[in-house]
Amino acid sequence: MAAYLQWRRFVFFDRETVKEPSGPDGAGAKPFALPPGIAVCDSGRGSLVFGDIQIWFLPRSLQLSSFQAYKLRVTHLYQLKQHSILVSVGEDEEGINPLVKVWNLEKRDGGNPLCTRIFPAIPGNKPTVVSCLTVHENLNFMAIGFADGSVVLTKGDITRDRHSKTQILHEGSYPVTGLAFRQSGKTTHLFVVTTENIQSYMLSVKDYPHLELDTHGCGLRCSSLSDPSQDLQFIVAGNECVYLYQPDERGPCFAFEGQKLIVHWYRGYLIIVSKDRKTSPKSEFSGNEAQNSDKQVLNIYDLCNKFIAYSSIFDDIVDVLAEWGSLYVLTRDGKIHVLQEKDTQTKLEACNYMLFRKNLFEMAINLAKSHHLDSDGLSEIFRQYGDHLYNKGNHDGAIQQYIRTIGKLEPSYVIRKFLDAQRIHNLTAYLQMLHLQSLANADHTTLLLNCYTKLKDSSKLEEFIKTSESEVHFDVETAIKVLRQAGYYSHAVYLAEKHEHHEWYLKIQLEDIKNYQEALHYIGKLPFEQAESNMKRYGKILMHHVPNETTELLKILCTDYRPCGGNEGPGMLEGKKANSEEFIPVFANNSRELKAFLEHMTEVQADSPQGVYDTLLELRLQNWAHEQDEQIKEKLHNEALTLLKSGRFKTVFDKALVLCQMHSFKDGVLYLYEQGKLFQQIMHYHMQNEQYKKVIEVCELYGDQEACLWEQALGYFARKEENCKEYIAAVLKHIENKNLMPPLLVVQTLAHNSTATLSVIKDYLVNKLQKQSRQIEQDEQRIQKYREETMRIRLEIEELKASPKIFQKTKCSICTSALELPSVHFLCGHSFHQHCFESYSESDSECPTCMPENRKVMDMIRAQEQKRDLHDQFQHQLKCSNDGFSVVADYFGRGVFNKLTLITDLPSGKTATTIEAGLQRELLIHTKRST
């Protein structure tokens, strides 16, 4: 039980007296007064309803209206809240003959509401007084209680006679003082309370089974039905206590002493009108008699939070009505007092101020929750409550309140208070909840894990880190760092593996636990991209400790990689491969494993990167150079040479050559010289090693491609002081056959050799002089021929200029037929039929027979003209030629150095036009004569 005297009192309502509307003159309004004799009242549908002889309606505008409902009096009114239906009980004649009338307020009959039904309210034709009335909001049930203990139930449409059925539900010896319908889902209950007992009827079941809930009752108007905030409980107010009932059992009770006169339920509040304690008690059943003029107390209780929201004394209250969001108290003198509930913020400020002063935080919290205070306001109350408990030394209680502020209060405010080592368990609890609500940052995670490690609470630590993936409320990377720093390597590794922080997993395994085998196995389960990056990062460490296993993994990674655990997904059927060249640095100190890796890559993957072949060549050359065993050295020699001949070093020729030279790999150097067509380098190599026969062989093999090799060979042997007559003779013979050097240059070259006597070059010089003599004779004969030809042409030209030309040809030069007129004659001596000439001639001024030869001559002249200015070409040929004199003579002969004149100077006084005209005239005269 809750003691009434211990409940706190507040003033959550403002009391005012309803006044009449102000007049047009603005004079002060006087209190509003109802007509005298009001005995019953109710409210709903926007009006306050009163009853005496008439039924009165008072809307919010205070414009009172009424209509005659009964001839004598109105004894009961019930206004439905969801329908414009009013049910009244009254008397039209003297005696005990109550009538029930159902009014439809939306329809009119002669200006008054339409009365849809009238029937007598007598149980079994026994005259008795109606004590109470209730109607179900679905309009299918109506219950009437009588003073003789009877209850009449009307089932069906209560607004029509034809669709309803009336029967006696309850009979007893004690007056019925209260009725209430309770609807829960599809189940309907009717509470019946008398002066001596309380019963519950189930109306949704046939035969209406009932249950007696208690053996004491209450007076008239001292019962009510709560709202869903109190689970629709039936409230019965006795003189000692207030009881709450469910349909099948009694609920809690509250010790509110005093004679109860009126009980109502309003918006979560219990309203009780009771006798003032200073007055003498009256009869329970006659609590509403008019002659009772004692002082009465109206209390408004909050049963959830156990405080009195309002308390005030009134004079002779008729009833308390609820409408328009306020409470209206009707007193016997006709006045209406309105109780307006204060707004939530105002109530909470006033309440909390008093409660905080008295440290009644629990009540403040409950009050705030019941009034739906926002989370910020509640958080502030929790904070103050936590501060209060903390200052009192109740750290466990304080941390519970601070936990309730999470999400609103800055965590650092709480954390600073509990950093002391003695309060670390409180701090741990707060940080745990902070993580559960996903509001922790990396610093909070660090602090919580440090708390676990200092408390050495391994079970809590494991529980924290082993939450499911969907329940992780902390920064995983931060947790791993803290656990690693604290030495909890197994926990850190578990967390890293579970949340796929591969880098941290490998770092801890390799640097802290030093479990290299497990780390390598873990890499083999990773997706390709991550396996590749981690092998680049940790490959050297793994190669140092587990070289064979690391090499095998790298082989797989660079050829056809598929994760061991199938992490790439079911659709990943095709393997991936990494760039093998990028992993060569991993084998820095493991040449044996490197060789195995590189040879494997070249075997299974012919298109391996060039770096793989370069490194393998270098490795084989190193092994060959350092090997002492002749058989093994020969094998290594063949392997290196085979690799060179594989054709993989064309693009890196210089690099391969440098490697062979560094390791003095003779066969490799010569092979690369040959592949690169570096014939001079081949010969120089043999010259350095004084291999004379090899020098001659090189000249014979490659002399046709590079003629200067013979000259260099001659110079080489000429500088030797040894007896090299045999080799010099061989070189001179080839130079003579190919005419590679002028004789003078040969003599000058051999002049440096003290062992080369004149007999060495005697045959060469004799042959050379004989060839030149024969050449001179041929040139002189050709010159004489050209001179004679030139003289003949000049004479012919002079003859054409000075003497007439007689055309004696009798046959056409084209068709060889007898020449007939008209004909065409040329000075060159050729004659043509005119039709033959026109058919075959390309130009009217050229002889068709001489034209091809003339064009050849003209083309040669033009070519000479074009080549006259080719200075760059001339310089290039002069520089590259072995016989520069012949080049100069060739260009001189082509007239490069002369000014060429194509037309000889005409005789003075004659122009080209005059000569051309004369020739044409001679041709015409000849044509006419022939005709």
Side-chain angles (χ1 to χ4, degrees), residues 766-812:
V766 170
N767 293 333
K768 197 67 178 174
L769 290 174
Q770 290 177 352
K771 286 183 179 180
Q772 288 183 355
S773 297
R774 288 194 294 270
Q775 185 65 39
I776 290 171
E777 291 178 359
Q778 292 176 0
D779 291 343
E780 288 178 350
Q781 293 175 1
R782 193 177 293 112
I783 290 170
Q784 183 62 33
K785 180 181 177 181
Y786 288 158
R787 283 177 178 173
E788 293 175 355
E789 183 69 19
T790 302
M791 183 60 67
R792 184 185 65 78
I793 292 173
R794 285 179 177 174
L795 292 174
E796 187 174 349
I797 292 172
E798 289 296 330
E799 184 180 356
L800 290 173
K801 288 181 179 179
S803 304
K805 178 68 175 179
I806 299 173
F807 302 102
Q808 297 178 344
K809 287 283 186 180
T810 60
K811 291 184 180 181
C812 176

Side-chain angles (χ1 to χ4, degrees), residues 466-562:
K466 291 185 178 181
T467 54
S468 64
E469 184 70 26
S470 60
E471 297 176 354
V472 174
H473 305 287
F474 57 89
D475 184 75
V476 176
E477 186 172 356
T478 301
I480 295 172
K481 290 180 182 177
V482 175
L483 290 171
R484 184 190 183 198
Q485 187 176 6
Y488 285 78
Y489 299 129
S490 60
H491 295 77
V493 164
Y494 169 82
L495 208 56
E497 182 177 10
K498 178 181 178 181
H499 297 282
E500 298 183 352
H501 285 258
H502 310 307
E503 182 179 350
W504 281 107
Y505 179 91
L506 294 171
K507 189 177 292 186
I508 297 169
Q509 287 282 22
L510 295 174
E511 298 178 7
D512 300 322
I513 304 177
K514 301 189 183 302
N515 190 344
Y516 306 103
Q517 194 72 41
E518 185 62 32
L520 190 65
H521 178 68
Y522 183 82
I523 293 176
K525 297 188 297 183
L526 296 179
F528 171 76
E529 290 77 9
Q530 296 171 2
E532 180 185 21
S533 63
N534 282 293
M535 281 305 294
K536 291 178 182 177
R537 183 173 302 161
Y538 301 111
K540 289 185 179 180
I541 299 176
L542 293 169
M543 184 62 67
H544 179 71
H545 293 91
V546 281
N548 295 331
E549 294 82 352
T550 305
T551 303
E552 290 303 317
L553 179 59
L554 285 174
K555 289 179 181 179
I556 298 173
L557 186 64
C558 296
T559 52
D560 186 20
Y561 179 78
R562 290 181 178 86

Side-chain angles (χ1 to χ4, degrees), residues 375-408:
S375 56
D376 292 333
L378 279 172
S379 177
E380 179 61 21
I381 298 175
F382 294 143
R383 182 195 65 80
Q384 295 188 36
Y385 192 14
D387 291 345
H388 168 70
L389 295 175
Y390 181 86
N391 293 331
K392 287 176 63 178
N394 183 2
H395 299 132
D396 293 340
I399 203 67
Q400 294 304 317
Q401 298 307 316
Y402 288 134
I403 286 174
R404 300 167 82 177
T405 66
I406 290 176
K408 298 298 179 181

Side-chain angles (χ1 to χ4, degrees), residues 362-461:
E362 287 290 349
M363 180 176 288
I365 292 169
N366 293 334
L367 178 64
K369 287 182 178 180
S370 65
H371 285 80
H372 307 291
L373 183 64
D374 60 14
S375 56
D376 292 333
L378 279 172
S379 177
E380 179 61 21
I381 298 175
F382 294 143
R383 182 195 65 80
Q384 295 188 36
Y385 192 14
D387 291 345
H388 168 70
L389 295 175
Y390 181 86
N391 293 331
K392 287 176 63 178
N394 183 2
H395 299 132
D396 293 340
I399 203 67
Q400 294 304 317
Q401 298 307 316
Y402 288 134
I403 286 174
R404 300 167 82 177
T405 66
I406 290 176
K408 298 298 179 181
L409 182 63
E410 176 62 35
S412 60
Y413 177 86
V414 180
I415 292 172
R416 284 197 299 267
K417 291 178 178 289
F418 292 90
L419 285 177
D420 193 331
Q422 296 179 353
R423 303 169 190 165
I424 193 170
H425 64 281
N426 299 124
L427 179 59
T428 303
Y430 179 80
L431 292 171
Q432 282 178 339
M433 191 58 63
L434 197 65
H435 282 80
L436 285 176
Q437 297 188 24
S438 301
L439 296 173
N441 57 29
D443 294 333
H444 299 148
T445 302
T446 302
L447 188 57
L448 176 59
L449 292 173
N450 284 329
C451 290
Y452 283 141
T453 55
K454 288 183 179 179
L455 291 173
K456 300 189 181 303
D457 192 347
S458 298
S459 61
K460 282 286 187 182
L461 180 59

